[in-house]
Amino acid sequence: MARSRRSHVAAGLRGSTALIASFFGLTGIASADIRLPAIFSEHAVFQRSEKVPIWGWADPGEEVFVTLGAIAGKTAADTAGKWRIDLDLRQAGAGPFDLVARGKNEVTVGDVVVGEVWLCVGQSNMEMRLGGTQDAKEVIAQTNNPSLRHFRVERNSVAAPADDVVGKWVTATPLGAHEFTAVGFYFGQALQNALHAPVGLVHSSWGGSLAESWMSEEALQSDEVVKKHVANLRNRNATSTQSPPPSRTPSALFNGMVSPLIPYAIVGAIWYQGESNVGAGQGAVYPQLLTTLIRDWRNRWKRDLPFYICQLPNFQAKPTSPGLPSLWAEFREGQTKFLDTPHTAQAILIDTGEEGTVHPRNKKDVGERLARIALAKDYGQAVVFSGPVFQSAAVEEGKIRLKFTHTEGGLIAKPLPRTYQPLSIKPDTVPLMRNSPKSELEGFVVCGEDHKWVWADAQIEGNDVLVWSAQVAHPVATRYSWANNPTCNLYNAAGLPAAPFRTDKPPLNVPESAD
């Protein structure tokens, strides 16, 4: 749903002393122990929303009064000493404001702004800081954007849901930008450029983590497929001579790094995770894991959170033969199946990876592609958010005709370079070997009824693609970008790459051929 944007409101919106005094009706209050979670701290970003929860702790039964500028609310702590107030910030200016919580004592949080808040979750490629990425030195030096803010949740793996996290808000200045998740930085920057509003990134990630570690115990037990899968995982962990690391312990990171953030008001989540699961060969179960995770998170936040994932990028050596088995290709297919869940989408990254590392340094394209999705789906902006997506295939006169959705502006064959860098931190380049050197499009293979795959020629015809090979008189199936690190060049005019796909189903997978 698109959101209207309002201009900043003058400092008077912080509220007058008279108004606050009238609302509280209190003077000479003795000191007590009102406390706020760490996320309600200096430089925080609050979501512009009808219901923005503010919560904390006080003495049981203690009356608590909260103001953000001229907006106020009150409640009383329950018998456990917990309290919550929901503020309506739809009409609030951007700020900055002071957040004040007062009971027997007073807590003031300065420099709070109101805008758009997103949760950034995942493993090492989400965890990677801006300072370690491509062109980082120049980007950080030129960044002076105090309305773009980042809250990094410190690592915490626990057996039961925690009450709070450790972390702090920082602003996107040369002193603070290097701490940002790089994916989140470019995502937030693109949102801010389009929306002209403050953007907050709540960042919770742990390198090497499994998806299962980001799921609550209730979620792990709520689905029969997931329940069986996790039971097997735990059995393997129990029979091992070593305990699993915290990042691979089911529910541990949810308990320590997500649960304490709920119900902080957010628009949705961006997710870059899966490298650990693909290594365990979990392409088949991964869609069910993600579907179960997001259903549980939506129930806990009590809203239909948008959830946008990063499809795993290209990685490892380029294929030398067609039709080789590929765990990464199968895993990407599993990620695509997750999109059957409403209000989800994925950023295709098949052209952003590196042969020599699972941690590619190009995070700009990643963040900006995720931002395109959010701008189109959540803010009603007319931007192209997806590359071509396979729709249907038909055999005609010895060729396979492919149709696609998301062909906005038409299909294009992006020129391929003569060389590439296997590792971006090293200047060394190697020749890019063409598998179909006379073809307009690279990345296609085709097979006949014998199920033997060969490199295919392919060309664009309108909004379709024709695929064929002189070696296959009667083709039955084709694949595109079906490899760990394919060479591929099908895009739409918006410069977004086509998603990898195969027209065959798993029975056609056996036997695979390297001929």
Side-chain angles (χ1 to χ4, degrees), residues 214-234:
W214 296 104
M215 301 172 68
S216 72
E217 186 60 33
E218 292 82 0
L220 294 174
Q221 302 302 317
S222 68
D223 178 271
E224 287 303 315
V225 172
V226 172
K227 183 177 180 179
K228 181 178 180 180
H229 164 75
V230 172
N232 291 335
L233 177 63
R234 284 173 166 158

Side-chain angles (χ1 to χ4, degrees), residues 212-295:
E212 297 90 325
S213 64
W214 296 104
M215 301 172 68
S216 72
E217 186 60 33
E218 292 82 0
L220 294 174
Q221 302 302 317
S222 68
D223 178 271
E224 287 303 315
V225 172
V226 172
K227 183 177 180 179
K228 181 178 180 180
H229 164 75
V230 172
N232 291 335
L233 177 63
R234 284 173 166 158
N235 285 337
R236 290 195 299 271
N237 289 342
T239 58
S240 174
T241 57
Q242 295 182 332
S243 298
S247 60
R248 303 178 76 87
T249 301
S251 79
L253 304 191
F254 172 84
N255 289 338
M257 301 174 66
V258 175
S259 181
L261 301 173
I262 301 171
Y264 198 80
I266 59 176
V267 180
I270 57 174
W271 172 271
Y272 198 151
Q273 191 278 333
E275 299 90 338
S276 291
N277 290 83
V278 70
Q282 295 178 1
V285 74
Y286 194 75
Q288 197 67 20
L289 291 174
L290 280 190
T291 298
T292 305
L293 179 150
I294 188 57
R295 182 172 60 241

Side-chain angles (χ1 to χ4, degrees), residues 4 22 42 80 96 132 164 179 201 234 251 269 301 456 495:
S4 62
S22 173
E42 188 179 24
D164 202 359
E179 296 188 28
L201 307 164
R234 284 173 166 158
S251 79
W301 257 283

Side-chain angles (χ1 to χ4, degrees), residues 297-309:
W297 286 18
R298 285 172 174 172
N299 287 338
R300 292 171 184 274
W301 257 283
K302 301 188 186 307
R303 62 183 306 271
D304 198 12
L305 293 174
F307 198 88
Y308 305 139
I309 71 172

